[in-house]
Amino acid sequence: MTPQTTALLQAIDADKAKLDAARPLPAHTLASLREKLMLEWTYHSNAIEGNTLTLRETKVVLEGITVGGKSLRDHFEATNHRDAILYVESIVAKDEALSEWQIRNIHNLVLKGIDQTEAGRYHQENVVIAGASTTPPDFLHLPEEMRALIEWHDKSGGMHPVERAAELHTRFVKIHPFVDGNGRSGRLLLNFELMKAGYPPAIIQKEDRLAYYDSLDEACVSGDYSSITQLVANSVHRSRDTYLSVLGLRN
């Protein structure tokens, strides 16, 4: 990691300690913060992939209202992502270890009602990623690659949680095991790792899309995770600031 990233992680951990010391947090405040971050996470993660709903439209859709002039897929992507977050929260609450079964379940929720044939299933033919400098592994090797991902994760407990989450996300995206929905599923995995360690979700904003794709590409090609870790750390820091500000703990 770069000195800049190390310093940022130290600041994040100091803020985390401050927040942990204030627990238990007020129930209504915690619920409103969760709702805010869930909305923003859903909006930005979908917008990165081309969903056309605005932030306000996403909120309305999550409340069960149809937005005129928007595709059925746009609506499904919003409600599916919300359901996938709820699933991630449930496995974090149960302190479950990461597994291929969970990853398939997350992806199944992401594509529910959009492409039921491919939901939760590794792709059955070779694919390429538009704009990427690397090619995903042959589809015949996907089970082996995913097992290796879980094995790496099981042995990486000594890493800082933010660094580990960024690398888990990148390794998953490089494997690209599904026909569609890899980005959303990967960011859900990213935040599974962060939330499990007591950090807020990293919301990578649509305005950071280019920097995000560039840092992912750099890590996939070179194995240097510095840029993607820095970007994830910035996103965690932004979410942490939201918590501290609302709770009146920001100096």
Side-chain angles (χ1 to χ4, degrees):
M1 285 188 294
T2 65
Q4 181 183 8
T5 302
T6 300
L8 180 56
L9 293 181
Q10 290 172 347
I12 289 171
D13 287 344
D15 285 343
K16 181 177 181 297
K18 188 185 302 183
L19 189 56
D20 289 344
R23 297 184 188 279
L25 304 177
H28 292 297
T29 302
L30 192 59
S32 65
L33 280 166
R34 176 176 172 268
E35 182 180 358
K36 171 182 169 61
L37 291 176
M38 181 182 289
L39 170 61
E40 292 180 357
W41 179 2
T42 295
Y43 164 67
H44 284 288
S45 192
N46 282 336
I48 285 172
E49 306 298 336
N51 188 290
T52 66
L53 293 175
T54 65
L55 180 65
R56 183 168 296 178
E57 287 169 343
T58 301
K59 182 177 188 298
V60 167
V61 169
L62 295 182
E63 292 169 350
I65 301 171
T66 301
V67 177
K70 298 295 182 176
S71 71
L72 190 59
R73 180 177 180 121
D74 279 352
H75 286 77
F76 273 134
E77 286 180 348
T79 55
N80 286 359
H81 194 273
R82 184 264 321 277
D83 292 345
I85 292 175
L86 293 176
Y87 174 69
V88 167
E89 288 181 341
S90 74
I91 58 179
V92 167
K94 290 182 282 190
D95 197 29
E96 293 183 8
L98 182 65
S99 68
E100 282 189 73
W101 172 251
Q102 291 169 346
I103 295 172
R104 286 176 179 267
N105 285 341
I106 289 170
H107 184 259
N108 186 60
L109 289 168
V110 167
L111 282 197
K112 183 178 64 178
I114 296 173
D115 190 345
Q116 208 60 50
T117 301
E118 298 296 341
R121 185 180 80 150
Y122 298 153
H123 59 79
Q124 304 295 300
E125 56 188 61
N126 288 334
V127 298
V128 294
I129 308 173
S133 301
T134 58
T135 301
D138 189 286
F139 77 95
L140 293 173
H141 298 156
L142 289 177
E144 177 187 346
E145 293 282 348
M146 291 301 290
R147 283 194 297 271
L149 176 67
I150 300 300
E151 289 174 6
W152 168 84
H153 180 265
D154 290 345
K155 296 175 182 176
S156 61
M159 300 173 69
H160 188 283
V162 174
E163 184 184 15
R164 188 187 194 200
E167 187 164 342
L168 171 64
H169 173 58
T170 306
R171 286 174 176 267
F172 171 81
V173 169
K174 185 175 182 179
I175 296 170
H176 201 82
F178 304 110
V179 168
D180 188 18
N182 292 283
R184 276 174 283 255
S185 297
R187 289 185 290 278
L188 285 154
L189 281 179
L190 166 74
N191 284 328
F192 161 79
E193 191 63 34
L194 290 170
M195 293 160 66
K196 187 176 67 174
Y199 293 81
I203 299 170
I204 299 172
Q205 298 182 340
K206 71 167 189 174
E207 293 80 9
D208 295 330
R209 182 188 311 178
L210 182 57
Y212 167 60
Y213 283 150
D214 283 348
S215 62
L216 273 178
D217 200 55
E218 176 185 333
C220 287
V221 171
S222 69
D224 181 353
Y225 299 92
S226 299
S227 293
I228 188 63
T229 301
Q230 176 74 33
L231 188 143
V232 169
N234 285 333
S235 300
V236 173
H237 195 262
R238 189 164 49 233
S239 295
R240 181 66 62 188
D241 272 348
T242 299
Y243 269 83
L244 294 176
S245 296
V246 169
L247 293 166
L249 298 174
R250 171 57 67 208
N251 293 332

